[in-house]
Amino acid sequence: MNSPAKPQKLPTQAIGAKIFHSVNIISLFLMLTSGLQIYNANPVFGGRAGLQIPPIFTLGAWLAGGRHWHFAAMWIFSLNLLWYGIYILITRRWRHRFVGNNDIKALQKTQNPQRLTYAWHRIVYTSIIPILLLAILTGIGMYKPAQFPWIVDIFGDWQALRIVHFASVPLVIIFVIIHWRLGQKAGGDKLIESMFW
């Protein structure tokens, strides 16, 4: 006689992680669509005659509207990032989220696919931090160049600053896709769902 299968334990996440991920998805969507509206006013590549993004993918309807949405969402995103940084320091979750020597060793030696997934996840999770900080720094430099001319100077000129800020967008999108796929590989759709509700 077969014994009944044990019910699979559903993954659970701390409420702080759920709030962080939910706010991030919303604020990133608002920043992306409003940023594309700002881009349409003067495309980074090609000037006013450059590639235009169809209005269905933009938010704000005009340059000022796009800027208002973009900077409102930027504050939400930045404060959420700051709050989560404090949260993982206080709860010491950083020890399990960011890359360490054991992850590098795992890439070199382990044959365990689950361990490799976790190692890659921590590497990807850690690598997004400088990209996000670069996006915020260049965004502040574009928003307030008179107050922060040194930010513009770091990148050489205004156009270079815009290109770096614009380049951070696909990097963040690539991160989200890889982060999602690695999470799915580690724990399936149930793990992904547990990050939000």
Side-chain angles (χ1 to χ4, degrees):
M1 183 173 175
N2 293 336
S3 60
K6 290 182 180 178
Q8 188 178 8
K9 184 182 176 185
L10 296 176
T12 58
Q13 303 296 328
I15 188 68
K18 292 175 187 281
I19 293 169
F20 173 72
H21 282 98
S22 299
V23 171
N24 261 2
I25 289 293
I26 294 167
S27 59
L28 281 170
F29 176 78
L30 294 174
M31 282 193 298
L32 177 63
T33 54
S34 60
L36 292 175
Q37 179 64 54
I38 296 167
Y39 170 89
N40 272 352
N42 188 14
V44 171
F45 306 105
R48 299 215 183 267
L51 173 70
Q52 293 286 309
I53 307 299
I56 193 169
F57 299 114
T58 64
L59 175 67
W62 74 103
L63 175 60
R67 284 172 54 93
H68 292 325
W69 275 106
H70 198 68
F71 295 120
M74 180 273 299
W75 279 112
I76 295 169
F77 178 78
S78 299
L79 292 174
N80 188 49
L81 199 61
L82 175 64
W83 166 82
Y84 192 67
I86 294 168
Y87 169 74
I88 63 172
L89 282 175
I90 291 172
T91 61
R92 301 174 68 91
R93 291 171 64 95
W94 61 270
R95 294 178 301 174
H96 309 292
R97 295 292 180 263
F98 301 114
V99 68
N101 286 335
N102 289 339
D103 297 309
I104 304 303
K105 289 176 186 173
L107 294 180
Q108 296 168 342
K109 297 179 181 179
T110 189
Q111 298 298 316
N112 182 338
Q114 191 78 356
R115 180 65 187 96
L116 284 171
T117 298
Y118 288 135
W120 277 115
H121 207 148
R122 289 187 186 105
I123 290 168
V124 169
Y125 205 81
T126 304
S127 68
I128 195 61
I129 294 171
I131 294 169
L132 292 177
L133 293 176
L134 183 66
I136 292 170
L137 179 71
T138 54
I140 291 170
M142 291 171 61
Y143 182 46
K144 298 284 186 182
Q147 289 84 353
F148 301 101
W150 59 269
I151 296 177
V152 180
D153 293 341
I154 288 173
F155 296 92
D157 60 21
W158 176 259
Q159 182 66 2
L161 182 72
R162 292 181 72 229
I163 290 170
V164 171
H165 187 72
F166 188 76
S168 69
V169 175
L171 294 176
V172 172
I173 292 170
I174 290 168
F175 163 78
V176 169
I177 293 168
I178 294 172
H179 184 45
W180 169 69
R181 288 295 294 136
L182 287 170
Q184 194 176 47
K185 194 173 179 182
D189 290 334
K190 294 292 183 188
L191 177 63
I192 302 299
E193 290 170 15
S194 75
M195 293 291 181
F196 299 97
W197 48 80

